[in-house]
Amino acid sequence: MTLVSSHSPHGQSPLRTVQVLGGGNAGSSAHVRSLAAGLVARGLRVTVCAPVEADHAYDFTGTGAVHVHVPRSSDPGAVAALREACRDADVVHAHGLHASFRAALALSGRRTPLVVTWHTRAYADGARAHLLRLLERRVAKAATVVLGTCSDLVDRARRTGARDARLAAVSLPGPRPRTAAEADDPDRQRAKLRAELGATDRPLLMAAGSLDRHGGHQTLLDAARVWGRLDPVPLVVLAGEGPLRPALQRRVEDERLPVRLVGLRDDLAELLAAADVALLTSRWESRSVLAQEALHARVPLVATAVGGVPDLVGDAADLVPYGDAVALADTVVRLLGDPERRELLAERGVRQTATWPTEDQTVAQVLSIYDELTQIWPLVQPPERR
């Protein structure tokens, strides 16, 4: 479905939207780029307010949008820059808690509709946890509409005071263009990647994510001790960076675990396609990019049963409790020894991906909300005709 907005709230120029992005994780940044491209294609004027490094990484200007550098901080200078960028906006759309808070500050005293998308949830302890709850309440109450990328986030927005909270249609952005070699001989590329990773004659288990204390990677290393007793020994490849990288690397070396930390990669889809099993061990996820890429690639997935994961994957993955190394290890061992089960999950994955929103549907939902919020309704209803 392609939806083109013919509505302009002032009846003159095309509707103008400002997309506000903070630091942004990979999922929300890719979503904003996809959204900007779709809205520009439908005739809207789009400005993306984000740190300059985000534009370098995601090329918002390449979509036809205008990029305005706004730093991550919520200091008066950043808020003032955002307020100026939003000066003649018809709708402001902020992505993530901190970007939404800055947008709420920038729009203070204005009647510009504020749409907020919560892509994930933040965790903190002590005083910072209290601050996060205050930010959530402030944002939820300031927003005209809160979009949650899973039902958990929609419920959370309602509990924290949102006037209007809805489930967002969020697609997995299209893959990067393939080279001629990748398109002509994917099996060769798969074999080449496995050889580079050191998994030519052994199972390859693939995980990815921010290396922080919510990623479940210590649990992953606990499970890897069990897999180290198998013959052949599976290799766990973990892509990503974060504050726990040094501690995880020490454990790998000290315990001689069959794990490789490969840092940030821009070929996650290709790495997953080369794997025998994909692993998602996070404490909480909404619409995990890794899970979506794994199902698209027909790779069996073992994931924690948290947040939006069960709704996202349906019956196309084996789910385990968060933090349970024994359940994770046992599930993977059973899966590696059961090729029929792996093929069944691959087939279910194909069916499950067909139920997910497309990029076109994602843009259409957002555009319909913008039109709804900027529609000028007459103050006096016309008399009924007799």
Side-chain angles (χ1 to χ4, degrees):
M1 175 176 65
T2 301
L3 187 64
V4 177
S5 177
S6 60
H7 162 62
S8 170
H10 308 299
Q12 297 174 350
S13 59
L15 186 144
R16 177 173 180 253
T17 174
V18 175
Q19 305 291 315
V20 184
L21 186 67
N25 58 31
S28 59
S29 299
H31 172 67
V32 169
R33 190 191 193 283
S34 172
L35 194 57
L39 293 174
V40 168
R42 289 158 175 78
L44 275 71
R45 294 183 298 146
V46 179
T47 298
V48 177
C49 293
V52 66
E53 56 269 24
D55 186 48
H56 291 159
Y58 291 92
D59 189 24
F60 301 121
T61 53
T63 68
V66 174
H67 171 252
V68 174
H69 169 64
V70 176
R72 291 188 178 93
S73 65
S74 295
D75 61 56
V79 173
L82 184 56
R83 185 174 179 84
E84 175 61 23
C86 297
R87 184 166 50 87
D88 62 344
D90 298 307
V91 179
V92 174
H93 190 163
H95 301 263
L97 179 61
H98 295 284
S100 301
F101 177 65
R102 286 193 287 276
L105 291 177
L107 294 177
S108 179
R110 295 180 179 175
R111 300 183 64 182
T112 308
L114 173 60
V115 178
V116 165
T117 297
W118 285 359
H119 294 266
T120 186
R121 58 174 295 184
Y123 286 96
D125 299 313
R128 182 165 169 75
H130 178 65
L131 175 61
L132 284 175
R133 288 194 294 271
L134 291 177
L135 288 180
E136 284 183 336
R137 284 199 291 270
R138 170 69 185 270
V139 168
K141 292 180 178 180
T144 314
V145 175
V146 178
L147 299 174
T149 56
C150 68
S151 57
D152 267 15
L153 289 175
V154 174
D155 292 342
R156 189 175 184 85
R158 289 171 178 157
R159 289 196 304 269
T160 52
R163 291 171 283 170
D164 186 344
R166 312 180 192 183
L167 186 64
V170 177
S171 63
L172 178 67
R176 67 173 178 83
R178 291 180 172 236
T179 65
E182 290 171 336
D184 290 343
D185 197 347
D187 290 339
R188 181 181 177 186
Q189 292 301 313
R190 182 177 189 272
K192 180 181 177 183
L193 261 179
R194 289 178 68 95
E196 290 174 356
L197 295 169
T200 302
D201 299 314
R202 60 198 296 199
L204 176 60
L205 311 179
M206 184 68 214
S210 178
L211 305 185
D212 57 35
R213 61 194 182 92
H214 304 298
H217 299 121
Q218 296 288 7
T219 301
L220 177 60
L221 298 193
D222 291 341
R225 284 204 302 261
V226 176
W227 302 328
R229 297 195 290 267
L230 300 178
D231 184 19
V233 177
L235 174 65
V236 180
V237 171
L238 175 56
E241 288 290 354
L244 285 187
R245 167 98 188 236
L248 295 173
Q249 187 65 55
R250 281 195 300 271
R251 274 199 66 185
V252 170
E253 295 170 359
D254 292 347
E255 301 174 34
R256 298 186 177 183
L257 299 175
V259 177
R260 283 193 60 185
L261 307 183
V262 296
L264 292 175
R265 301 283 295 236
D266 61 2
D267 57 348
L268 176 60
E270 288 73 23
L271 289 172
L272 283 168
D276 297 291
V277 176
L279 305 174
L280 180 64
T281 57
S282 309
R283 176 180 178 182
W284 196 90
E285 292 280 352
S286 178
R287 297 188 67 84
S288 162
V289 172
L290 181 142
Q292 293 179 78
E293 293 280 15
L295 267 60
H296 268 295
R298 294 176 51 87
V299 176
L301 172 69
V302 178
T304 43
V306 296
V309 173
D311 287 341
L312 178 68
V313 302
D315 64 354
D318 283 340
L319 301 181
V320 298
Y322 168 73
D324 190 334
V326 173
L328 176 62
D330 290 348
T331 301
V332 170
V333 169
R334 285 196 301 271
L335 200 52
L336 289 175
D338 189 347
E340 291 184 359
R341 175 68 179 171
R342 296 200 303 273
E343 182 59 27
L344 176 63
L345 291 180
E347 294 297 330
R348 288 176 175 175
V350 172
R351 293 198 299 270
Q352 186 67 13
T353 62
T355 69
W356 296 340
T358 64
E359 287 188 85
D360 202 49
Q361 290 167 336
T362 298
V363 174
Q365 183 205 37
V366 169
L367 186 54
S368 69
I369 291 172
Y370 293 173
D371 279 346
E372 172 190 334
L373 298 182
T374 57
Q375 179 68 54
I376 300 175
W377 299 100
L379 297 179
V380 179
Q381 294 293 332
E384 292 184 7
R385 293 185 177 180
R386 296 182 180 272

